[in-house]
Short mmCIF file of all heavy atoms in Angstrom, two decimals:
data_model
loop_
_atom_site.label_atom_id
_atom_site.label_comp_id
_atom_site.label_asym_id
_atom_site.label_seq_id
_atom_site.Cartn_x
_atom_site.Cartn_y
_atom_site.Cartn_z
N ILE A 53 -2.63 -14.45 4.92
CA ILE A 53 -1.27 -14.55 4.40
C ILE A 53 -0.24 -14.44 5.53
O ILE A 53 0.86 -14.96 5.41
CB ILE A 53 -1.02 -13.53 3.29
CG1 ILE A 53 0.19 -13.98 2.46
CG2 ILE A 53 -0.84 -12.14 3.81
CD1 ILE A 53 0.19 -13.48 1.07
N ALA A 54 -0.58 -13.80 6.65
CA ALA A 54 0.35 -13.71 7.78
C ALA A 54 0.60 -15.09 8.39
O ALA A 54 1.71 -15.39 8.84
CB ALA A 54 -0.19 -12.76 8.84
N THR A 56 0.53 -17.95 6.69
CA THR A 56 1.45 -18.64 5.78
C THR A 56 2.86 -18.09 5.92
O THR A 56 3.83 -18.84 5.83
CB THR A 56 0.97 -18.54 4.33
OG1 THR A 56 0.92 -17.17 3.94
CG2 THR A 56 -0.37 -19.18 4.14
N SER A 57 2.98 -16.79 6.15
CA SER A 57 4.30 -16.20 6.34
C SER A 57 4.99 -16.79 7.56
O SER A 57 6.19 -17.11 7.52
CB SER A 57 4.17 -14.68 6.49
OG SER A 57 5.41 -14.12 6.79
N TYR A 60 6.11 -20.28 6.65
CA TYR A 60 7.29 -20.25 5.77
C TYR A 60 8.53 -19.84 6.55
O TYR A 60 9.63 -20.32 6.27
CB TYR A 60 7.06 -19.29 4.61
CG TYR A 60 5.97 -19.73 3.66
CD1 TYR A 60 5.21 -18.81 2.98
CD2 TYR A 60 5.69 -21.08 3.46
CE1 TYR A 60 4.21 -19.20 2.09
CE2 TYR A 60 4.70 -21.48 2.59
CZ TYR A 60 3.97 -20.54 1.91
OH TYR A 60 2.98 -20.92 1.05
N VAL A 108 13.93 -15.02 7.31
CA VAL A 108 13.36 -13.88 6.58
C VAL A 108 13.31 -14.18 5.08
O VAL A 108 12.32 -13.87 4.41
CB VAL A 108 14.17 -12.60 6.87
CG1 VAL A 108 13.73 -11.46 5.97
CG2 VAL A 108 14.05 -12.23 8.33
N PHE A 109 14.36 -14.78 4.54
CA PHE A 109 14.41 -15.10 3.11
C PHE A 109 13.26 -16.02 2.71
O PHE A 109 12.55 -15.75 1.74
CB PHE A 109 15.77 -15.74 2.79
CG PHE A 109 15.93 -16.13 1.35
CD1 PHE A 109 16.35 -15.20 0.41
CD2 PHE A 109 15.65 -17.42 0.93
CE1 PHE A 109 16.50 -15.56 -0.91
CE2 PHE A 109 15.80 -17.78 -0.40
CZ PHE A 109 16.23 -16.84 -1.32
N PHE A 110 13.10 -17.11 3.43
CA PHE A 110 12.03 -18.06 3.10
C PHE A 110 10.65 -17.42 3.27
O PHE A 110 9.78 -17.59 2.41
CB PHE A 110 12.14 -19.31 3.98
CG PHE A 110 13.02 -20.37 3.41
CD1 PHE A 110 14.39 -20.20 3.33
CD2 PHE A 110 12.48 -21.57 2.98
CE1 PHE A 110 15.20 -21.17 2.82
CE2 PHE A 110 13.29 -22.57 2.46
CZ PHE A 110 14.65 -22.37 2.37
N ALA A 111 10.45 -16.70 4.37
CA ALA A 111 9.14 -16.09 4.61
C ALA A 111 8.80 -15.09 3.51
O ALA A 111 7.69 -15.12 2.96
CB ALA A 111 9.12 -15.41 5.97
N ALA A 112 9.72 -14.23 3.15
CA ALA A 112 9.44 -13.19 2.16
C ALA A 112 9.21 -13.77 0.78
O ALA A 112 8.20 -13.47 0.13
CB ALA A 112 10.60 -12.19 2.13
N HIS A 113 10.12 -14.62 0.32
CA HIS A 113 10.00 -15.13 -1.04
C HIS A 113 8.81 -16.08 -1.21
O HIS A 113 8.07 -15.99 -2.20
CB HIS A 113 11.30 -15.81 -1.46
CG HIS A 113 12.39 -14.83 -1.74
ND1 HIS A 113 13.13 -14.25 -0.73
CD2 HIS A 113 12.84 -14.31 -2.89
CE1 HIS A 113 14.01 -13.43 -1.26
NE2 HIS A 113 13.85 -13.43 -2.58
N LEU A 114 8.61 -16.97 -0.28
CA LEU A 114 7.48 -17.89 -0.40
C LEU A 114 6.15 -17.18 -0.22
O LEU A 114 5.13 -17.57 -0.82
CB LEU A 114 7.62 -19.04 0.58
CG LEU A 114 8.78 -20.00 0.27
CD1 LEU A 114 8.91 -21.05 1.36
CD2 LEU A 114 8.61 -20.65 -1.08
N MET A 115 6.12 -16.12 0.59
CA MET A 115 4.88 -15.35 0.75
C MET A 115 4.53 -14.63 -0.55
O MET A 115 3.36 -14.59 -0.94
CB MET A 115 5.04 -14.34 1.89
CG MET A 115 3.76 -13.65 2.26
SD MET A 115 3.87 -12.65 3.75
CE MET A 115 5.33 -11.71 3.53
N VAL A 116 5.51 -14.07 -1.24
CA VAL A 116 5.25 -13.41 -2.53
C VAL A 116 4.76 -14.43 -3.56
O VAL A 116 3.79 -14.18 -4.28
CB VAL A 116 6.51 -12.68 -3.03
CG1 VAL A 116 6.37 -12.24 -4.47
CG2 VAL A 116 6.80 -11.48 -2.14
N ILE A 117 5.38 -15.58 -3.60
CA ILE A 117 4.95 -16.63 -4.54
C ILE A 117 3.53 -17.07 -4.22
O ILE A 117 2.69 -17.24 -5.12
CB ILE A 117 5.94 -17.82 -4.51
CG1 ILE A 117 7.28 -17.39 -5.12
CG2 ILE A 117 5.37 -19.02 -5.25
CD1 ILE A 117 8.40 -18.36 -4.91
N THR A 118 3.22 -17.24 -2.94
CA THR A 118 1.86 -17.62 -2.54
C THR A 118 0.86 -16.55 -2.93
O THR A 118 -0.23 -16.86 -3.42
CB THR A 118 1.81 -17.85 -1.01
OG1 THR A 118 2.71 -18.90 -0.69
CG2 THR A 118 0.42 -18.21 -0.56
N PHE A 119 1.21 -15.28 -2.73
CA PHE A 119 0.32 -14.19 -3.11
C PHE A 119 0.04 -14.21 -4.61
O PHE A 119 -1.11 -14.08 -5.04
CB PHE A 119 0.91 -12.85 -2.71
CG PHE A 119 0.12 -11.68 -3.22
CD1 PHE A 119 -1.08 -11.34 -2.63
CD2 PHE A 119 0.57 -10.94 -4.30
CE1 PHE A 119 -1.82 -10.27 -3.11
CE2 PHE A 119 -0.17 -9.87 -4.78
CZ PHE A 119 -1.36 -9.54 -4.18
N TYR A 120 1.07 -14.40 -5.42
CA TYR A 120 0.88 -14.43 -6.88
C TYR A 120 0.01 -15.62 -7.30
O TYR A 120 -0.86 -15.48 -8.15
CB TYR A 120 2.22 -14.48 -7.60
CG TYR A 120 2.92 -13.15 -7.65
CD1 TYR A 120 4.30 -13.07 -7.70
CD2 TYR A 120 2.21 -11.95 -7.65
CE1 TYR A 120 4.95 -11.85 -7.75
CE2 TYR A 120 2.86 -10.73 -7.71
CZ TYR A 120 4.22 -10.69 -7.76
OH TYR A 120 4.85 -9.48 -7.82
N LEU A 121 0.26 -16.78 -6.71
CA LEU A 121 -0.54 -17.95 -7.07
C LEU A 121 -1.98 -17.80 -6.61
O LEU A 121 -2.92 -18.14 -7.33
CB LEU A 121 0.08 -19.22 -6.47
CG LEU A 121 1.42 -19.64 -7.07
CD1 LEU A 121 1.98 -20.82 -6.32
CD2 LEU A 121 1.27 -19.97 -8.54
N ARG A 122 -2.18 -17.28 -5.39
CA ARG A 122 -3.53 -17.11 -4.86
C ARG A 122 -4.32 -16.07 -5.64
O ARG A 122 -5.51 -16.19 -5.82
CB ARG A 122 -3.43 -16.70 -3.37
CG ARG A 122 -4.73 -16.51 -2.68
CD ARG A 122 -5.41 -17.84 -2.44
NE ARG A 122 -6.63 -17.64 -1.72
CZ ARG A 122 -7.86 -17.73 -2.27
NH1 ARG A 122 -7.96 -18.03 -3.53
NH2 ARG A 122 -8.91 -17.55 -1.55
N SER A 123 -3.63 -15.04 -6.10
CA SER A 123 -4.27 -13.98 -6.88
C SER A 123 -4.36 -14.33 -8.36
O SER A 123 -4.87 -13.53 -9.14
CB SER A 123 -3.50 -12.67 -6.71
OG SER A 123 -3.47 -12.30 -5.38
N ARG A 124 -3.80 -15.44 -8.73
CA ARG A 124 -3.75 -15.88 -10.13
C ARG A 124 -3.04 -14.86 -11.01
O ARG A 124 -3.50 -14.51 -12.09
CB ARG A 124 -5.14 -16.17 -10.66
CG ARG A 124 -5.80 -17.31 -9.94
CD ARG A 124 -7.09 -17.70 -10.59
NE ARG A 124 -7.65 -18.83 -9.85
CZ ARG A 124 -8.88 -18.83 -9.35
NH1 ARG A 124 -9.67 -17.81 -9.54
NH2 ARG A 124 -9.31 -19.87 -8.68
N LEU A 125 -1.93 -14.35 -10.50
CA LEU A 125 -1.10 -13.42 -11.25
C LEU A 125 0.16 -14.15 -11.68
O LEU A 125 1.04 -14.41 -10.88
CB LEU A 125 -0.70 -12.22 -10.37
CG LEU A 125 -1.82 -11.30 -9.95
CD1 LEU A 125 -1.30 -10.29 -8.94
CD2 LEU A 125 -2.41 -10.59 -11.13
N TRP A 126 0.23 -14.51 -12.94
CA TRP A 126 1.41 -15.18 -13.45
C TRP A 126 1.89 -14.43 -14.68
O TRP A 126 1.17 -13.61 -15.24
CB TRP A 126 1.14 -16.66 -13.75
CG TRP A 126 -0.20 -16.92 -14.33
CD1 TRP A 126 -0.60 -16.73 -15.61
CD2 TRP A 126 -1.34 -17.43 -13.64
NE1 TRP A 126 -1.90 -17.08 -15.76
CE2 TRP A 126 -2.38 -17.51 -14.58
CE3 TRP A 126 -1.59 -17.81 -12.33
CZ2 TRP A 126 -3.65 -17.98 -14.24
CZ3 TRP A 126 -2.83 -18.26 -12.01
CH2 TRP A 126 -3.84 -18.35 -12.95
#
Side-chain angles (χ1 to χ4, degrees):
I53 200 154
T56 60
S57 175
Y60 294 149
V108 172
F109 179 84
F110 271 69
H113 287 80
L114 292 176
M115 188 171 48
V116 168
I117 292 169
T118 300
F119 173 75
Y120 283 151
L121 292 175
R122 181 73 177 106
S123 300
R124 296 188 179 126
L125 293 173
W126 38 78

